Amino acid sequence: MLRTVVSAQEATKIKEMLAESRNVVITCHTGPDGDAIGSSLAMYEYLKRKGKQVVVIVPNYFPDYLRWMNDADKIIQYDRRRALSKSYFQQADLVIALDYNGMYRVDEMQLPLSHCRCKKLMIDHHENPENFCTIQLSRPEMSSTCELLYRLLIAMGEEKQISLHCAEDLYAGMCTDTGRFTYNSNDPEIYEIIAGLMRKGIDKDKIVRNIYNQYSEGRYRLLGHILLNKLELYPDLHASIFSVSREELKQFKYMKGDAEGFVNIPLEIKGTKLSISLREDTEKDRIFVSIRSYDDFSAQEVAEKYFNGGGHFHAAGGTLYCTIDEALDTARKALEAYRETLSQ
Ligand SMILES: [Mn+2]
C-alpha cells in the first residue's frame, strides 16, 4: 500500500471530471522531456481506453529518443499544426496540463490555451503553481509527474486500467526525471511503484536502452570537445562551468536534445558539487542555462538570483539574453558570490 499523496476526495473529484468530459486535449511544456511525453501518453492511453476522444498536443519538437512510445506518432506538434491544434482546443471540454505549473511554460501555445474556456486539470510536480486550472493537483515533493499520475490512477481505483503501454510511459517518465533513479529518488515507494509497473509486464531494461542508447554521433563528438576544451574546473569551489556557442553546435551538427544531460557529467568528477552549463540557442540570441548541485547547495537559488530562472533544489535552469562571453562572466560572478559556501 502506498501512502496517501492524492486524497480520496481529490481522486473522486478528478475521476468525475474525467468521466464528464468527452473531448480531451492533453498538453505539456515546451521542449518536452521524458516525463512530459511519458505522462501525456500514459494519460492518453488511459483515456482512450475509457472511450474518450483524446489528443496530445505539445508546444514544439520533442526528442527522437521518446518516439518509441506507443502512439508517439499521434502527438500533434503545435508549432507545425496551429490551425488543427486550435480546432482541438475549441472543441475540448477538458484540457489537461501535465508536468508544468504555469501557462508561460507552453510558449506560443498560451494563445489557444488561454482562450479555451473549458475546464482544466493540472497534474504537476513543479513548485509555485500558477492558478489557471479548475483542479490543481500539484505535488512538488513527487519525483516526477509520472509518479504522481500513477498514484492518482491508484487513488481513483483504476489500477486494473493501467495497460502495458501506459505502464511503459509512466516508467519512462519516472526514469528520466530521476536520471535513471540516481537523484531525487530516495523515496522507497518509488521502488514499490516500479514493482507495480513491472507486474504490468514492462521490460524496464529495454525502456532504458530505448531512451538512452539512441544518441547521435555528433552528441559524443560535442561532448568530447566540451570536456577537452571547454570545461572550467574550480577545485577550490567544488564547481565547474562550461559553455557552448552556436558555432560549436553547428560544427558538431547539433540536433535538439543532443546536449541533454551534459550538465550532470562534471558532477562525476570527484569533489564537484555544482555544475553550470551555458548553451547558446541555435536560432534566437539567448543562452540556455542549466544548473545541477549536490547536497545542501541550492541550484534553484543560483538560477533565480543570476539566471532569470528557477526549478528544483538540485536541478534548475534559466535563460540569459546576452552573448556567450557575458554569460560566462555572470556564471563566474555567481561562483564568486557563493565562494564561502562552495569552498567548504
Ligand atoms: Mn517532470
Side-chain angles (χ1 to χ4, degrees), residues 29 33 35-36 99 124-126 143-146 173 177 312:
H29 56 76
D33 56 10
D35 192 29
D99 200 39
D124 180 49
H125 71 132
H126 295 89
S143 68
S144 58
T145 297
C146 281
D177 254 23
H312 304 287

Side-chain angles (χ1 to χ4, degrees), residues 3 5 33 35 99 124-126 139-149 151 170-179 181-187 189-191 193-194 312 315:
R3 70 178 182 276
V5 169
D33 56 10
D35 192 29
D99 200 39
D124 180 49
H125 71 132
H126 295 89
R139 294 289 185 279
E141 71 276 18
M142 290 289 102
S143 68
S144 58
T145 297
C146 281
E147 180 192 344
L148 179 56
L149 179 53
R151 289 175 181 277
L170 291 173
Y171 185 80
M174 290 177 64
C175 181
T176 49
D177 254 23
T178 57
F181 307 102
T182 59
Y183 51 80
N184 204 13
S185 52
N186 278 330
D187 178 353
E189 289 195 350
I190 287 175
Y191 291 85
I193 294 172
I194 295 171
H312 304 287

Side-chain angles (χ1 to χ4, degrees), residues 28-310:
C28 65
H29 56 76
T30 183
D33 56 10
D35 192 29
I37 296 295
S39 57
S40 295
L41 285 175
M43 185 57 112
Y44 174 84
E45 175 77 14
Y46 168 74
L47 292 176
K48 207 178 54 174
R49 288 165 67 95
K50 289 266 161 187
K52 307 291 176 188
Q53 291 294 323
V54 53
V55 285
V56 177
I57 306 179
V58 304
N60 61 354
Y61 177 87
F62 67 98
D64 290 344
Y65 66 82
L66 298 172
R67 291 180 194 257
W68 57 270
M69 284 188 225
N70 192 51
D71 286 336
D73 57 332
K74 298 206 175 72
I75 293 177
I76 297 168
Q77 206 179 304
Y78 175 73
D79 63 356
R80 285 192 180 171
R81 312 288 302 272
R82 285 170 204 265
L84 177 70
S85 304
K86 276 176 191 160
S87 76
Y88 278 119
F89 275 103
Q90 276 159 7
Q91 288 161 31
D93 50 20
L94 176 66
V95 170
I96 306 182
L98 289 166
D99 200 39
Y100 66 97
N101 60 354
M103 290 224 239
Y104 74 100
R105 293 287 288 119
V106 301
D107 238 342
E108 288 165 18
M109 206 165 79
Q110 262 190 71
L111 199 70
L113 181 65
S114 58
H115 284 171
C116 191
R117 295 264 162 262
C118 70
K119 287 179 189 165
K120 298 186 182 81
L121 166 65
M122 176 198 290
I123 302 172
D124 180 49
H125 71 132
H126 295 89
E127 294 197 34
N128 309 318
E130 273 177 19
N131 190 12
F132 71 100
C133 287
T134 326
I135 296 183
Q136 183 177 295
L137 182 65
S138 166
R139 294 289 185 279
E141 71 276 18
M142 290 289 102
S143 68
S144 58
T145 297
C146 281
E147 180 192 344
L148 179 56
L149 179 53
Y150 179 87
R151 289 175 181 277
L152 171 65
L153 291 169
I154 300 296
M156 294 194 304
E158 296 285 64
E159 207 273 337
K160 284 210 166 62
Q161 301 303 318
I162 300 175
S163 66
L164 170 62
H165 290 316
C166 182
E168 286 175 341
D169 301 340
L170 291 173
Y171 185 80
M174 290 177 64
C175 181
T176 49
D177 254 23
T178 57
R180 309 182 214 192
F181 307 102
T182 59
Y183 51 80
N184 204 13
S185 52
N186 278 330
D187 178 353
E189 289 195 350
I190 287 175
Y191 291 85
E192 289 176 40
I193 294 172
I194 295 171
L197 296 174
M198 290 176 72
R199 284 191 199 98
K200 295 287 179 181
I202 66 163
D203 182 342
K204 68 175 185 61
D205 304 347
K206 188 163 180 217
I207 292 173
V208 167
R209 285 200 301 278
N210 281 342
I211 296 172
Y212 291 97
N213 298 4
Q214 303 296 332
Y215 289 116
S216 68
E217 176 188 347
R219 169 181 163 89
Y220 287 93
R221 303 280 182 198
L222 175 64
L223 178 62
H225 169 66
I226 289 171
L227 295 179
L228 185 62
N229 304 315
K230 303 303 300 281
L231 185 67
E232 298 178 9
L233 268 182
Y234 300 87
D236 54 328
L237 299 176
H238 309 103
S240 76
I241 306 172
F242 68 80
S243 66
V244 205
S245 70
R246 186 178 296 161
E247 281 308 306
E248 289 167 313
L249 293 172
K250 271 188 199 145
Q251 191 189 334
F252 292 97
K253 301 183 178 68
Y254 174 81
M255 298 275 292
K256 270 179 190 166
D258 272 357
E260 192 169 290
F262 281 3
V263 64
N264 297 308
I265 293 170
L267 291 176
E268 294 173 18
I269 299 168
K270 191 174 176 182
T272 310
K273 60 183 182 189
L274 175 67
S275 168
I276 302 178
S277 143
L278 309 165
R279 176 169 55 83
E280 193 171 15
D281 190 3
T282 49
E283 288 141 31
K284 296 178 192 164
D285 285 329
R286 57 181 174 184
I287 313 291
F288 295 120
V289 185
S290 224
I291 309 170
R292 297 292 181 274
S293 67
Y294 279 160
D295 302 333
D296 52 3
F297 191 82
S298 171
Q300 188 182 8
E301 192 183 307
V302 181
E304 283 170 4
K305 276 196 183 163
Y306 288 89
F307 302 105
N308 313 309

